[in-house]
């Protein structure tokens, strides 16, 4: 089990959280996505290591960006 936390910028409401959660959840192997709206922290739990670029692509698909 792997767990990584990323910071997403631009999320301002519960709909933003849901969009990001849904897109990131579609990445193969991801078992849980937890989003903290005030800080933009997105914690991804997965059966195997998920690459940052995969997470970045999913976040951008949802309409947001990683901070780095
Ligand atoms: Mo509503 Mo969240 O436009 O961006 S989905 S604030």
């Amino acid at each position: 089990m792997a767990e990584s936390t990323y910071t997403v910028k631009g999320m301002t409401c519960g709909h933003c959280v849901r969009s990001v959660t849904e897109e990131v959840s579609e990445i193969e192997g991801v078992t849980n996505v937890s989003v903290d709206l005030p800080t933009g922290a997105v914690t991804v739990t997965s059966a195997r290591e998920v690459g940052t670029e995969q997470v970045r692509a999913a976040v951008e698909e949802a309409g947001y960006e990683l901070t780095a």
Side-chain angles (χ1 to χ4, degrees):
M1 199 70 103
E3 187 177 279
S4 300
T5 300
Y6 305 85
T7 305
V8 173
K9 54 181 177 183
M11 295 187 294
T12 53
C13 76
H15 298 116
C16 307
V17 171
R18 194 172 65 181
S19 298
V20 169
T21 301
E22 285 178 357
E23 286 294 340
V24 175
S25 294
E26 285 177 13
I27 299 171
E28 194 185 336
V30 170
T31 55
N32 190 66
V33 179
S34 170
V35 178
D36 182 65
L37 183 55
T39 62
V42 176
T43 300
V44 180
T45 306
S46 52
R48 58 173 180 80
E49 200 67 47
V50 171
T52 302
E53 292 314 313
Q54 265 187 294
V55 175
R56 183 188 309 281
V59 166
E60 289 179 358
E61 189 67 34
Y64 305 93
E65 287 181 24
L66 292 187
T67 52

